[in-house]
Amino acid sequence: MTQLTVSNTVSAAKGRWPQLLPLLGIDVAINGHHSPCPLCGGKDRFRFDNLAGRGTWVCNQCGAGDGLTLVEKALAVNTKDAAGKVAAILSNEQTVLSPVEHPVNTQEKEAARSKAIERAKELIRSACKQTGNAYLTTKAWSDKDVLTLQGEGLRIAGINYASGDLLIPLTDLSGNVLNVQLINAEGIKRMLAGGQVKGACHHFAGKENAVIWLTEGYATGLTVHELTGETVYVALSANNFPYLAQLLHDKYPDAMLLMAADNDENGTGQRKAEEAASLTAGKIALPFITGDWNDVFMQEGRTGTLEQLRAFAKPEAKSPFETLSDADLKSMSVSEKAELLIAHNNYQLAVSLIGDDLCRYEKGAWKILPHSVFSREIAALFQKIRAPFSAPGISGIIDTLKLMVPQMGKPPRRLIGFRNGVFDTVTGQFGPHLPTHWLLNVNNVDFTQPKAGENLADHAPNFWRWLTRAAGGSEEKQARILAALFMVLANRYDWQLFLEITGPGGSGKSVMSAIGTFLAGIHNTVSAGILTLESARERASIVGYSFILLPDQEKWSGDGAGIKAITGGDAVAIDPKYRDAYSTHIPAVIMASNNNPMQFSDRSGGVSRRRVIITFPEVIPANERDPQLIEKIGQELAVIVRHLMQRFAVPSDARELLQAQQNSDEALEIKRSADPLVDFCGYLLAVSTPNGLYIGNANIVPANPRKYLYHAYLSFMEARGHQRTMNLTAFGRAVPQTLREYEIELLKRKTNQGMQTNLILSEDCEADWLPRCGT
C-alpha cells in the first residue's frame, strides 16, 4: 500500500474511529474519560479524546497519537499494515455500522498473544537476578534480588528499556507465562504489545494459601509479601482486580482474600476493590493514606506498616452465639449473658463520658447505640437459637453490660477525624483511626496527600471562590479570614479572642461556620446561644468542646460577662442538673454568627480587647448560590488544612492579623452601628491640651452641645432616635474606655466653669446630627 493510500484510508476513517477500533479488538472509552490503556494496561492513564474525529488519544506512559498510530501500537504492526486492516473494515460499510467482532481480527489477536508469549519466555530465559535495581531503590527495596533485563535492551511503545531494568514475569494461575512487564529507572511500565493482560498476574508464593493478598503494582505486592510472608498476586491494574479475584476464589475457596488495591484520589482502586470483594466475599484492605501500601511503608516503616496489614489479615472473631444453645443461655447469669454480648460486638462497646449512653465503635467513631436498636439486636440473637426472652430481661442485661464496659475517654482536641484516618494538627501527621482516639464523629471526606505546587485556587477551588467573594477581593481581608480559621484549627483559645462573623443573610456566614466545624472536628464542636455562656446551668452543655459555635444570633445586648470570662481563661461556674456544681476552665474557641452585631454594655474594655469582628457585607444573589457549596468545600478539607498549617507555620502571624482586624476601620464601623456611644465618640477629635469641651451636666439650662460634651451626647441620642441615654456618672465612666476604640486618651482639668477635656466636635457633627437638636 502506498503512502497515498495510507493517507486516503486515514481520511476515510475520519469520524469513524469509535466504531473502527472495537472491530480491531482495541477497546477505548469513547466518552473521553480516563480509562485502561489498550497498549500498556495502565488502569486509568489513557484518554481517547478523538479530536476532529481523527481518533486522537493520549496515555501518560505511551505518549499520544491518532487512530492509525493506536492501531499500529496495539497490533504491533507497521503503518502500512495498520492502514490495510482499517481499509479492510472500511470496505464493508455495513460492518462499520454494526460493530461486531471481526473473525480475522480474532485470529490476529491470538497470533499477537502467541508472539508475546514466546518473546516473554525468551526475555525471562536471558534475564538474571540482581540487587540494587534502580526502580526498587526508589521504593526502599534496593536489597532485593530481582529478575532484570539483560542484553542490548529493547523499545516498547516508544519507551527504551536497558540492561538492568526490572523484568516481571506475568503468568496465569497455573504458572503459564503470558507476558512480561518492564519497569525502567524512571518507573515507566510497559508490557509486550499484543500480550494478554486480563487474568495475567505476578505471583509471590507464601508458606501457605490461608491468606491471599491481591495488589495492583509490583512494588506494592513485593512490600506486602516481604512484610507478611504471605501469598501475594499482583493484578497489574485495578481493572484486573474483579476478574483475577474470581479466579483466585475458585481456585482457593477457603482462603481469606484481601483486596489491597490502591487508595486513589479518583476512587478507581476503591471501586474495583469493592467490586472484587462483593464477587468473592473477600475483604477490602486499603491503605489509610492516598496511594498504595508501599507508600505506607515509605512513610510508616516496617513495624507500623506490618501492624496495619496484620489488622486486615486478622480473622474475624466468630460470635459466641454461633455455637450457643438455648439450654446454655438459660443456665447463664445476667452478667454472663452481658459478657457474651460484649464478645459478640468484638469488645467495641463503651459508655459515654457524659451521661449513660452506650456507644459502639464503627468506622473510626464511637456512635451512640440507642436502647431500642440494641434491644432488637439482642432479641434477634436469642430468636436465632430459640431462647426465650422478655423486654425487662433484655433491659436488665443492657444495664448490667454498661457496668462492665469501659467508660470513654476525652477525644484529643488536636485530632481531626477524616473518613480514612486522623490528622494531628500539632504534629501535622496523618494516621489511622484507633478506638482509643474516642472520636464521636468523623468528617465524611478522605484526607488526601499533597500535590506538587498545591494551592487553594487550583486544588480547593470552591473554598477559594467563597474566600475571594467573602473578602470582597481584598488580599488583606482574605489573610485575616484565614487567620480566623487557623485559630479554630489550632484551638488557640489561649489568644483570649473570640470571633464575631456579622453581615446580612445570604452573605456566606453559614459557610464560615461550617468550615470552622470541619476544621475543629464535628466531635469537638457544640452549638449554643450567647445566653448559654452567661448561665452556670446552661454552661454545662458546652464543657468538653473545643469549638463553641453561636449560630444565627438574634439581636442581643448585655454585659457579656460569660464570654469575657471564658475567652479570658477564667474559671467559670458549672451547675449540671444531676451533679454537684463546680468551676472549671473552658478552653474553647468561640465563633458567633449574626445578622446584627452584638451590643456589649461592658465598658471596662475586657470584651473589646477580645472581640474580633469580621463582616461579610455582600449578599450573594439567589441565582449565584450553590446549595452544595458546603459539601464541596468539605471535599477540599485536606488542602485547606495543609494550607493553614503552612501559611501560619509561625502561629503569631495569625494572631497579629486578627489583632489588626480588631483595630480595622471595618470593625470600628460595625461597632458604631451597634453601639450609640461608640458612634458618638466617632465625632470627637482630640487636641493636645485639655482646653476643649467641658463635661457638663443635665441641669445646665439652656443645653449647649457645642460647649458641653454631655449635652452633645444627649443631642446626638435625640437626633438619632435612641431612647436609652446614660446618666452623667455612667457617661463619665464609659467615655474614656470607648475613646480607646479610636486610640484617643481623655485628658481633663478642673476650671471655674467645670471639668474641661481635650475633646472637640468634628465638622461632621454639623452635617450629620448637630443642627437637628434645634440649638
Side-chain angles (χ1 to χ4, degrees), residues 195-486:
Q196 182 174 333
V197 175
K198 188 175 183 180
C201 61
H202 183 74
H203 177 217
F204 291 100
K207 295 179 181 178
E208 53 185 21
N209 292 317
V211 176
I212 297 177
W213 297 83
L214 192 55
T215 70
E216 292 188 35
Y218 178 84
T220 308
L222 175 64
T223 300
V224 173
H225 174 68
E226 288 295 322
L227 296 184
T228 65
E230 293 166 340
T231 298
V232 176
Y233 283 87
V234 180
L236 305 173
S237 74
N239 291 289
N240 201 20
F241 251 63
Y243 182 73
L244 189 56
Q246 285 182 293
L247 294 179
L248 288 169
H249 180 61
D250 292 341
K251 185 171 183 178
Y252 306 104
D254 297 326
M256 175 190 288
L257 278 181
L258 294 169
M259 312 303 166
D262 296 353
N263 188 347
D264 296 322
E265 285 191 26
N266 63 11
T268 300
Q270 297 91 311
R271 288 193 299 271
K272 291 301 180 180
E274 290 172 1
E275 182 182 344
S278 65
L279 292 171
T280 62
K283 186 176 180 182
I284 299 173
L286 296 175
F288 70 92
I289 63 171
T290 302
D292 55 42
W293 282 106
N294 182 259
D295 295 320
V296 178
F297 174 65
M298 300 279 282
Q299 176 176 307
E300 300 288 322
R302 178 181 291 269
T303 302
T305 308
L306 180 57
E307 183 179 346
Q308 294 176 43
L309 291 171
R310 280 177 173 164
F312 287 110
K314 186 177 180 181
E316 294 188 11
K318 292 184 178 180
S319 170
F321 284 90
E322 293 183 13
T323 58
L324 197 69
S325 68
D326 61 332
D328 293 331
L329 195 64
K330 289 177 184 177
S331 65
M332 290 182 177
S333 65
V334 173
S335 62
E336 288 173 329
K337 293 174 182 177
E339 286 180 357
L340 285 179
L341 288 169
I342 294 171
H344 175 76
N345 285 274
N346 296 315
Y347 301 92
Q348 302 289 285
L349 297 174
V351 175
S352 59
L353 187 62
I354 299 175
D356 194 33
D357 293 320
L358 187 64
C359 300
R360 182 160 58 195
Y361 185 69
E362 299 174 0
K363 297 181 179 179
W366 288 89
K367 305 289 187 181
I368 292 178
L369 187 56
H371 181 89
S372 59
V373 172
F374 197 34
S375 296
R376 287 185 172 277
E377 289 183 9
I378 296 172
L381 290 171
F382 285 11
Q383 284 179 309
K384 188 175 181 180
I385 60 175
R386 301 184 180 279
F389 61 88
S390 65
I394 289 177
S395 295
I397 295 172
I398 294 175
D399 289 340
T400 302
L401 181 148
K402 288 182 180 180
L403 300 175
M404 299 169 65
V405 298
Q407 188 175 43
M408 293 172 57
K410 291 183 178 180
R413 294 172 180 271
R414 68 182 190 277
L415 298 182
I416 300 178
F418 288 83
R419 187 164 49 199
N420 58 335
V422 292
F423 181 79
D424 192 320
T425 58
V426 175
T427 65
Q429 297 296 312
F430 183 71
H433 283 295
L434 295 174
T436 50
H437 289 152
W438 301 114
L439 299 186
L440 302 178
N441 289 284
V442 297
N443 290 307
N444 193 33
V445 294
D446 287 334
F447 185 85
T448 57
Q449 296 302 307
K451 297 180 179 178
E454 184 175 85
N455 61 80
L456 293 179
D458 295 327
H459 300 97
N462 295 289
F463 173 78
W464 179 250
R465 282 194 293 270
W466 167 82
L467 177 65
T468 304
R469 194 76 177 263
S474 166
E475 291 185 7
E476 181 181 73
K477 190 168 181 180
Q478 284 179 13
R480 293 174 181 180
I481 293 173
L482 290 173
L485 294 175
F486 175 78

Side-chain angles (χ1 to χ4, degrees), residues 10 26 37 43 60 102 123 278 336 341 510 689 710 716:
V10 170
I26 304 170
C37 179
K43 60 186 177 184
N60 293 343
H102 198 277
L123 291 173
S278 65
E336 288 173 329
L341 288 169
S510 60
T689 58
Y710 187 57
F716 168 83

